[in-house]
């Protein structure tokens, strides 16, 4: 048994979650309100996985399996439920989470914003309001009090998806009828909102650097776009709107988070929707474990090889756990190949630790651990033990990279 291309000895092997998707009862957030105003279009997050109370058990399961890192988030709507009113009790809650991770020898990777915001922030204009930088940095200053010994901090999760969601919400508010049904082409994230988010990120990153010794970055939803003949010009424009802008926003950062699930082609009309196929995942995305290799190489090239990469999300929505293992093994094979070609990758954090609330839907299950929605009992899937064994071996074996 030979080891495949060696990964760094301090490589992080872990899993990720976000607060709104696992905690439950995120009452003061804009997402909670949107779910309740959606007239049945969105399922409710409700108690979610009751992760707010059960995080010690979740972390223990990850650590016992052999993982050495856990990415989780701090929920702004809990910490600042009303403008300028900060909850010490909630900050202490997140401090306990950090300490619990440390006690279990899990490296905490802490996200400060993952899609959901306090209602009041959204009501006053959200990311495009002139106050956005002040509002977010005021919250980040408070959070820094509990970040103490945290080494990895993400300011904003998937700003490109946040820009897309903000643009779509604004369009709906202006009366647009957005039909995004199967076969429809997705709009691209608006670059104006993206630029606003870059400003917020830079300001927040400066606050974290000034007040802590953490390595700071943000995480981008990589599309692994590939042009087909005729789509080259549009490809360049779409790559900029989807990723380039955010990669440029990572200039000078300590790391960049790569989040990858699938790959899509670009023709002369734009991104080609994944054709219907029995191989598509439960989110309707094409089964493309090779996307991770494409995403890592594109992110590395876009940042001029100056910003180390951390895979902060990669996974598959499936009810078939053997398929999850196959997908992840193949994705890791592409990660090893990228590292062999000189891409600096610092860790792999699987999405997700738990079967959680997939933003308005419960059916797409991404978890290494199943959660009973009534009793909240956790049942680790074989994929958790499998990923833990890869982590203990510190990567794939040589023969596994040849499969
Ligand atoms: O569940 C989401 C996560 O919140 C952000 N990245 C993509 C995941 C799967 O859709």
């Amino acid at each position: 048994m030979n080891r495949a291309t060696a990964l760094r000895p301090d490589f992080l092997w872990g899993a990720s979650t976000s607060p709104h998707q696992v905690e439950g009862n995120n009452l003061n957030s804009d997402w909670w309100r949107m779910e309740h105003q959606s007239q049945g279009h969105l399922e409710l997050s409700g108690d979610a996985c009751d992760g707010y109370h059960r995080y010690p058990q979740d972390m223990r399961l990850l650590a016992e399996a052999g993982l050495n890192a856990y990415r989780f988030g701090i929920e702004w709507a809990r910490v600042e439920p009303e403008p300028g009113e900060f909850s010490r009790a909630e900050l202490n809650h997140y401090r306990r989470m950090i300490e619990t991770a440390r006690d279990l020898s899990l490296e905490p990777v802490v996200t400060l914003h993952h899609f959901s915001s306090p209602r009041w922030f959204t009501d006053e204009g959200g990311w495009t309001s002139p106050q956005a930088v002040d509002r977010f940095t005021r919250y980040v200053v408070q959070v820094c009090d509990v970040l103490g010994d945290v080494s990895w901090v993400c300011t904003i999760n998937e700003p490109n998806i946040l820009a897309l969601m903000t643009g779509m919400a604004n369009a709906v508010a202006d009366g647009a009828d957005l039909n995004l049904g199967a076969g429809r082409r997705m709009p691209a994230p608006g670059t104006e909102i993206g630029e606003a988010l870059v400003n917020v990120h830079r300001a927040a990153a400066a606050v974290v650097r000034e007040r802590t010794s953490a390595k700071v970055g943000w995480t981008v939803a990589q599309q692994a776009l590939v042009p087909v003949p005729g789509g080259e010009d549009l490809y360049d424009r779409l790559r900029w709107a989807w990723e380039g802008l955010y990669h440029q926003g990572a200039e000078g950062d300590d790391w960049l988070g790569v989040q990858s699930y699938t790959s899509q082609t670009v023709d002369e009309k734009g991104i080609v929707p994944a054709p219907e196929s029995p191989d598509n995942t439960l989110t309707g995305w094409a089964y493309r474990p090779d996307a991770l290799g494409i995403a890592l190489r594109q992110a590395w090239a876009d940042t001029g090889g100056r910003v180390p990469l951390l895979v902060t999300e990669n996974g598959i929505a499936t009810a078939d756990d053997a398929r999850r293992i196959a997908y992840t093994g193949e994705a890791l094979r592409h990660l090893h190949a990228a590292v062999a070609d000189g891409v600096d990758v610092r860790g792999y954090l699987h999405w997700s630790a738990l079967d959680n609330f997939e933003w308005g839907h419960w059916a797409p299950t991404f978890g290494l651990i199943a959660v009973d929605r009534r009793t909240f009992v956790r049942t680790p899937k074989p994929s958790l033990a499998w990923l833990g064994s890869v982590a203990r071996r510190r990567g794939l074996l040589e023969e596994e990279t040849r499969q």
Side-chain angles (χ1 to χ4, degrees), residues 65-67 383-395:
L67 301 182
S383 53
L384 176 62
W386 173 83
L387 187 61
S389 69
V390 174
R392 287 185 208 274
R393 286 192 265 122
R394 289 189 279 122

Side-chain angles (χ1 to χ4, degrees), residues 21 114-115 157-158 259 261 285 313 351 358-359 366:
Q21 292 177 270
H114 192 124
F115 291 166
N157 175 75
E158 293 186 351
Q259 315 210 144
Y261 295 89
W285 301 339
E313 289 186 21
W351 185 270
E358 176 59 15
W359 304 108
F366 280 92

